[in-house]
Amino acid sequence: MDFPSELIQFLKKAERVSVLTGAGVSQESGLRTFRDAQAGLWAQYRPEDLASPEAFARDPKLVWDWYAWRREAVKGVRPNAGHYALVEMENRIPTFTLITQNVDGLHRFAGSRNVLELHGNILRVRCADCGTFTEVWGDDSESVPRCETCGGMLRPDVVWFGEALPRAELEAAVSATREAQIFFSIGTSGVVQPAAALAHAARNKGSIVIEINAEPTPLTPKTDFAFHGRSGEILPELVKAVWG
Ligand code: BV8
Ligand code: ZN
């Protein structure tokens, strides 16, 4: 893929870069994106109807089992070339912040260091009542596992729709976006708030905004550069074009 020479020059000189990633970056590792139809027994449910406190209150076991299924899927996959290209970019740019909506932990698994998980991490489990984290739980097929400390129900440590994002991560993401000279939006449909607002904040501040996504999104018309294709192909080619 050819990249505009001015983009290559911008990146060669860049001191501060922030990146927002979404489920599209993990798609080439074999994980369904958030809006892809669910598989098998989950096909009848929309993710938005399961990823909420209301869904968990209504049918805790259904929601627990959906996350247990997704957790096993995450454990079975590896980072792809797009994840590793972002590690290489972090090695080349003095101040680099990777803001992710993904809950699969693949950026850290690939070696990214400065990662902000805005929506939590599916591999972490905490008590819905007292918040105690746990690595082990019983596998009762009838009910949701319980907290050893207080007996409350366990839940994935992810941010559900209607829940506030973790304050520290969100504040760090907002300031990293404000300071960035260049802001990438990669593999995200750009509809979930407040994460999607970051790219617009970058643009309003005069940063160079670059989109890499399989298809156009509402952000596309507001970008300085937009590349539509697979992030696992485009990112390694961009890193090679800039840093050889
Ligand atoms: C909050 C964790 C308030 C759980 C997730 C109306 C208007 C505006 C906002 C709202 C509204 N109604 C409600 C809201 C708020 C709501 C929201 O934004 N709703 C949307 C649907 C309109 N937001 C919230 O509720 C947030 N909380 O607002 O709280 C508050 C404040 C204070 C106090 C109390 C409350 C919480 C949002 C977080 C929800 N949790 N995930 C879980 O994973 O189960 S969001 C979920 O969507 C995932 O994290 C996912 O990452 C994220 C965004 O989706 P994408 O990552 O973009 O994935 P998607 O499938 O959409 O797109 C993938 C893209 O990749 C596609 O474009 C595709 O073309 C592309 N692609 C595919 N393959 C590739 C590729 N690109 C490149 N290469 C490829 N190979
Ligand atoms: Zn508890």
Side-chain angles (χ1 to χ4, degrees):
M1 173 175 264
D2 285 334
F3 297 98
S5 56
E6 63 172 336
L7 171 60
I8 292 179
Q9 292 317 312
F10 283 144
L11 281 166
K12 275 188 192 300
K13 291 186 305 215
E15 298 281 323
R16 297 181 308 283
V17 170
S18 292
V19 176
L20 173 73
T21 62
V25 167
S26 296
Q27 189 267 342
E28 289 162 81
S29 291
L31 288 180
R32 296 176 188 291
T33 67
F34 202 71
R35 283 174 191 38
D36 271 351
Q38 299 291 334
L41 69 164
W42 301 107
Q44 57 191 298
Y45 301 97
R46 286 184 331 133
E48 299 88 286
D49 297 334
L50 291 171
S52 75
E54 293 76 22
F56 188 62
R58 191 172 49 244
D59 190 342
K61 187 74 171 82
L62 178 74
V63 173
W64 173 267
D65 287 348
W66 181 52
Y67 280 94
W69 174 68
R70 287 175 60 196
R71 197 179 301 120
E72 287 317 302
V74 165
K75 285 182 185 162
V77 301
R78 294 285 169 270
N80 63 63
H83 292 105
Y84 291 114
L86 288 168
V87 176
E88 181 58 22
M89 206 184 277
E90 181 172 21
N91 294 337
R92 301 281 191 164
I93 291 169
T95 304
F96 184 89
T97 307
L98 180 42
I99 306 160
T100 189
Q101 301 171 93
N102 299 339
V103 297
D104 55 35
L106 287 178
H107 285 303
R108 281 217 182 86
F109 196 95
S112 289
R113 295 181 303 281
N114 189 17
V115 180
L116 299 171
E117 291 179 322
L118 291 186
H119 295 162
N121 187 312
I122 199 169
L123 299 175
R124 281 197 309 266
V125 169
R126 64 176 158 86
C127 172
D129 291 346
C130 72
T132 305
F133 286 92
T134 182
E135 305 272 324
V136 288
W137 50 82
D139 247 350
D140 172 352
S141 59
E142 293 306 310
S143 61
V144 174
R146 293 286 171 160
C147 165
E148 304 248 312
T149 312
C150 78
M153 281 192 285
L154 297 183
R155 58 163 285 176
D157 187 37
V158 299
V159 180
W160 280 332
F161 286 101
E163 292 187 321
L165 274 59
R167 178 188 296 281
E169 281 79 2
L170 183 55
E171 283 172 0
V174 168
S175 60
T177 300
R178 198 177 292 130
E179 285 149 24
Q181 298 158 305
I182 299 175
F183 185 95
F184 282 87
S185 179
I186 306 175
T188 179
S189 54
V191 296
V192 171
Q193 299 297 348
L198 292 171
H200 300 276
R203 182 176 181 278
N204 295 340
K205 213 219 54 166
S207 304
I208 293 163
V209 177
I210 304 162
E211 179 176 63
I212 296 174
N213 201 60
E215 63 205 358
T217 72
L219 177 68
T220 307
K222 302 202 167 87
T223 60
D224 297 282
F225 302 93
F227 303 99
H228 292 136
R230 298 162 73 85
S231 52
E233 289 164 14
I234 296 170
L235 279 169
E237 286 182 33
L238 177 61
V239 166
K240 191 161 177 297
V242 177
W243 293 288

